Amino acid sequence: MGIHIRQAYDMTDLDDLLLRTSRTFAMSIPLLPEPTRQEVKIAYLLFRVADTLEDADLWGRSERIAALDAMVQLLHSPTLAADALALTQQVRLHPPSIHQGYVELLLALPELMAALESLEQRARATIILHALRTAEGMRGFVERQGDNGSLVLRDVEDLKDYCYVVAGIVGEMLTELFLLQISARADLVARLRRHSRAFGEGLQLVNILKDAEDDHHHGRVYLPADAPREAIFELARQDLRDAVTYIRTLQDMRAPRGIVEFNALNVRLAFATVDQVEVHGAGAKLSRAEVARIFTDLGAALDDGRPAL
């Protein structure tokens, strides 16, 4: 299970990192206006670092816990870029994954931390606060794993807790970044925040349903054995319906088009994916043509002044 690591890799291009580590977000993040685009790009990559450390298939449980602890300490550090070097050295000597893009992202941690340091203070503080919450929450789930990364969630509440840690917190963080650029009535801001958690959790539930067979192969059983599969599909759809309310609230707030489009694209893709998985089973994916059609239909709706969803 060897992996070739580039000994010298110029990681200053965050767009290149995004393409190497994501399909969906590499398409949706460029829709955002600046400075939100740069903030969300850095935040996404930082959360991907945490995901990679949590899922580190080539490391044992103690190594995964130690790496997440190191990430927490790093995020508390006043000199982010300099203090990232120790974790990078560990990755270079013993890669945690066979995924080339994820390993190169970890090797780029000093550059990513430098980019984080360059952000406006409120955006930087928002990203660090929520990344810390996620890394600490992930550590709790890694403590329950077997040494080979196996994890079995107990029930639906356990599943909800997991989805909150890995995605609900992301929804809350993104909302605070969006609100740095939007002025709106207090009731609309409260409504947006109220639905931010479900937004992130819905996207995560769709991914869990889609990847269930592959996760099971790696010993990760996120779908509780005593919960009917139909109930999990309905839970995902309810969260996505909350996400529709979230996006319509953004439109009521007259948020910049790019912020509306970023969120609406992710939710449209999630609705289409959950339908595909329910019909064809775990592992089903949207074709490039279907993704292109969803992207085009969304743009047309916004051009015509219609609701994004």
Side-chain angles (χ1 to χ4, degrees):
M1 290 192 296
I3 182 170
H4 172 69
I5 300 176
R6 304 180 189 194
Q7 294 304 306
Y9 187 74
D10 181 1
M11 302 300 290
T12 57
D13 186 349
L14 298 183
D15 290 322
D16 184 57
L17 274 175
L18 190 60
L19 286 168
R20 290 176 178 275
T21 56
S22 171
R23 176 186 174 192
T24 301
F25 285 99
M27 180 170 56
S28 62
I29 288 176
L31 298 171
L32 291 164
E34 293 291 6
T36 309
R37 181 189 310 163
Q38 183 76 348
E39 294 163 1
V40 173
K41 188 186 306 177
I42 291 167
Y44 169 80
L45 292 171
L46 187 59
F47 277 77
R48 173 55 67 188
V49 167
D51 287 342
T52 302
L53 298 179
E54 181 205 12
D55 294 336
D57 293 331
L58 303 184
W59 286 355
R61 181 178 61 177
S62 61
E63 290 173 291
R64 294 192 292 274
I65 290 173
L68 285 167
D69 285 343
M71 183 175 180
V72 168
Q73 293 171 8
L74 172 61
L75 290 170
H76 280 300
S77 169
T79 54
L80 297 171
D83 290 344
L85 289 172
L87 189 52
T88 300
Q89 278 298 100
Q90 179 186 354
V91 170
R92 190 177 298 281
L93 292 172
H94 184 191
S97 171
I98 62 171
H99 190 294
Q100 183 78 34
Y102 295 167
V103 172
E104 291 180 346
L105 171 59
L106 292 176
L107 292 176
L109 200 52
E111 290 86 350
L112 180 58
M113 292 297 103
L116 178 61
E117 285 182 293
S118 74
L119 295 179
E120 183 266 337
Q121 189 275 332
R122 292 176 302 167
R124 182 173 67 252
T126 295
I127 294 170
I128 289 174
L129 170 65
H130 291 83
L132 278 168
R133 295 174 62 214
T134 284
E136 289 165 350
M138 284 180 172
R139 188 193 192 282
F141 281 98
V142 172
E143 287 179 334
R144 292 169 47 185
Q145 291 179 357
D147 198 53
N148 63 351
S150 60
L151 174 68
V152 178
L153 297 183
R154 295 183 290 264
D155 50 32
V156 171
E157 287 306 310
D158 204 21
L159 172 62
K160 288 180 178 179
D161 289 344
Y162 179 79
C163 288
Y164 176 67
V165 163
V166 301
I169 291 173
V170 176
E172 293 173 343
M173 176 201 66
L174 290 174
T175 300
E176 298 310 310
L177 292 178
F178 299 151
L179 288 172
L180 293 178
Q181 307 303 325
I182 303 171
S183 297
R185 298 194 321 260
D187 61 315
L188 293 176
V189 171
R191 189 201 306 166
L192 194 72
R193 285 178 169 145
R194 189 162 59 248
H195 292 285
S196 63
R197 170 177 176 166
F199 183 11
E201 290 174 4
L203 300 183
Q204 183 64 29
L205 278 171
V206 172
N207 283 336
I208 285 173
L209 287 164
K210 175 175 64 70
D211 298 334
E213 288 186 0
D214 186 60
D215 287 333
H216 194 276
H217 176 73
H218 289 91
R220 294 188 284 268
V221 183
Y222 297 125
L223 298 174
D226 62 349
R229 191 60 53 93
E230 311 82 61
I232 307 301
F233 277 99
E234 177 52 30
L235 182 61
R237 287 196 171 94
Q238 181 55 58
D239 282 342
L240 293 179
R241 287 192 288 269
D242 284 347
V244 172
T245 301
Y246 180 94
I247 291 161
R248 289 179 178 171
T249 302
L250 283 172
Q251 290 189 284
D252 290 343
M253 298 168 78
R254 300 187 183 279
R257 170 173 169 152
I259 290 178
V260 173
E261 199 166 11
F262 164 84
N263 289 283
L265 178 61
N266 288 320
V267 173
R268 281 185 176 228
L269 291 170
F271 268 121
T273 299
V274 79
D275 289 345
Q276 188 93 327
V277 172
E278 190 165 34
V279 172
H280 299 290
K285 296 181 180 180
L286 300 177
S287 68
R288 291 184 181 273
E290 288 170 314
V291 171
R293 178 187 56 77
I294 290 168
F295 188 91
T296 301
D297 288 350
L298 172 60
L302 295 176
D303 288 343
D304 293 343
R306 290 183 278 124
L309 283 155

